[in-house]
Amino acid sequence: MTKGKVIGVNGNMISVRVDGEVALNEVGYVVLGDKKLKSEVIRIQGDRAEMQVFEMTGGTGINDEVEFSGELLAVSLGPGLLGKVYDGLQNPLPELAERLGFFLDRGVYLEALESEQRWRFTPKVNKGDKVRQGDTLGTVPEGIFDHRVMVPFNFLGEYTVDWVIDEGDYTVHEKVATVTDAKGGKHEVTMAFEWPVKRPIKVYSERLRPEEQMVTKVRLIDTFIPVALGGTYCIPGPFGAGKTVLQQITSRNAEVDIVIIAACGERAGEVVETLREFPELNDPRTGRTLMERTVIICNTSSMPVAAREASVYTAVTIAEYYRQMGLKVLLLADSTSRWAQAMREMSGRLEEIPGEEAFPAYLESVIAAFYERAGRVRLHDGSIGSVTIGGTVSPAGGNFEEPVTQATLKVVGAFHGLSRERSDARKYPAIDPLESWSKYEGAVEPNATEYARGIVFRGDEIDQMMKVVGEEGTSLEDYLVYLKGQFMDSVYLQQNAFDEVDRAVSVERQQHVFRVMMQILVSRFSVESKEEARHYFNELRQKFLDYNGAEWMSDDFKSLETELEQMISERDAGADERGEKLLKSLTTEHSHA
């Protein structure tokens, strides 16, 4: 075992004189009496190593001993991860609390997977079968999924199955198979194995384009700024604009198999709220608790700074692991700004040349490498799995020009920018429809959504102009465009999170309702005055809100739709050529669906 001596302490970073060989990202332990503090090597210069300590370093002094493990920072992968709450180092927090009480002690590390729990193993291979890394040896039921027990990802080349255990109940550390490599070496396989967190899992045959939409059941997102399965998106916004709420709604309603939440450096109050609410939330898919298909990696702002980085990588590694089972995984990182601040702090202690706003010069490449671990892949057995990554960014003062937001925008496929004005006006979700964008295809025909967004843009311009010249200085034609923009904002871009029906809207309903709304947007209404137009649109808006709250395809829904179409036809003076074409294309698209 390689050992070393502490020669310097600077906050969460220590300098160590090493007696032997060490590797970058290797785990070491600072020995403080009967406690050992977990650390990671982040820089090596000759016989000197700089290490970030994942605990408070109070009491650490010169010449304290450091023991190196010879292993990289890794997570345990196997059955039993779902429903767990871990810290950044994959310590199960409820078990830690049970052992230590309200105040967690440093230097205490527990097993990530329960060693006593027995799992019903069903073999899927026979003696003599050829297997390779990532191939399924057997399955165990985990919640509503069949958890694949796989050949460990570090087994390179082809192996022959020598022996596989019979169907039965076993613990994660019991041997379930023996395989032989090409040179005749025998290897034992258990249900659990370890994998380094900073090494992407690439055990698949093909990486696919993220083309299939990830349905969130939020109208504004699915229709105008969609996210694809295996894609990436970010949610920047000022403090209190609703980033965490939007993530929680997404995790509940998104059409994915597994949700992983990395609470990275967020305030303890917000994290406690998540931990309390998730076990209480009903999963619309199963009717059971949402926690059964969720993993929470929790590293609050009051925990040691260095562990923030570990929590992000721990979360994405677990996400990639479940992707290897052909599942759709959603990873929500909240917030990547706190992670970047931890990097800035460590970079300062390493005395590296600072970049913009003192963030490290390599900030962009680190953020890009994290988001690149998302993706939709075809596995060796032909099944398709995906990891979709959504990260929140908390720029100071809501300034989207700061380095973390800009570095994120360069690599993500969709930008859901939250607005302080919309949040203060109690508009949910508070995503700014004028600033936000997406590179992915949504639920509705792109030309139609472009037309609708154009109405919102033009309506906003007229609103700004009216603040200067007043309503009387605006033409009736412009005023109608303004009313259409306001109407669309209130009935389609906003959702009532307290309404059982309106809080989660299926794609089929979104397409149907959008077509009805487009009849209003393209129509040239015959009104005599602005007062008459305002009164008409107020009635239309209220009717449409009732329509949004009616059960899909119920008698009430159909009746309200008939009333709406009657109200539109009474004032409709026809549409321009472009509007007619768009309505026709939407009707055709709807009839095909």
Side-chain angles (χ1 to χ4, degrees), residues 31 51 102 177 198 207 217 260 267 314 395 438 441 564:
V31 181
M51 304 179 73
F102 289 113
K198 293 187 178 172
R207 194 176 173 92
K217 298 187 179 174
I260 295 173
R267 293 175 302 117
T314 296
S438 173
E441 282 198 22
L564 272 169

Side-chain angles (χ1 to χ4, degrees), residues 339-410:
W339 166 40
Q341 287 163 11
M343 276 196 282
R344 175 168 66 183
E345 195 169 315
M346 206 49 71
S347 176
R349 287 177 178 155
L350 288 168
E351 298 179 2
E352 294 171 335
I353 297 171
E356 192 180 349
E357 289 190 23
F359 284 104
Y362 47 80
L363 175 73
E364 282 188 16
S365 61
V366 172
I367 287 176
F370 167 66
Y371 280 102
E372 280 165 11
R373 291 178 72 166
R376 188 163 163 261
V377 301
R378 179 176 283 110
L379 304 174
H380 295 312
D381 65 358
S383 59
I384 291 174
S386 64
V387 169
T388 309
I389 297 181
T392 67
V393 189
S394 310
N399 172 27
F400 291 172
E401 299 303 313
E402 59 88 44
V404 182
T405 308
Q406 288 302 308
T408 306
L409 288 182
K410 287 178 183 176

Side-chain angles (χ1 to χ4, degrees), residues 570-591:
E570 282 172 3
R571 298 272 185 174
D572 188 6
D576 59 20
E577 190 181 341
R578 186 187 173 199
E580 289 286 3
K581 277 185 180 175
L582 287 173
L583 267 182
K584 201 170 180 181
S585 71
L586 284 172
T587 308
T588 311
E589 185 182 55
H590 185 72
S591 61

Side-chain angles (χ1 to χ4, degrees), residues 202-220:
K202 295 182 177 179
V203 187
Y204 46 79
S205 61
E206 185 185 2
R207 194 176 173 92
L208 306 170
R209 282 177 60 83
E211 293 173 331
E212 186 185 342
Q213 184 177 359
M214 182 187 82
V215 176
T216 64
K217 298 187 179 174
V218 177
R219 281 191 298 260
L220 174 52

Side-chain angles (χ1 to χ4, degrees), residues 478-497:
D478 277 354
Y479 192 67
L480 277 170
V481 175
Y482 160 73
L483 287 175
K484 284 178 182 178
Q486 292 290 305
F487 168 79
M488 181 180 151
D489 190 352
S490 58
V491 304
Y492 200 87
L493 302 185
Q494 295 176 46
Q495 269 175 257
N496 184 353

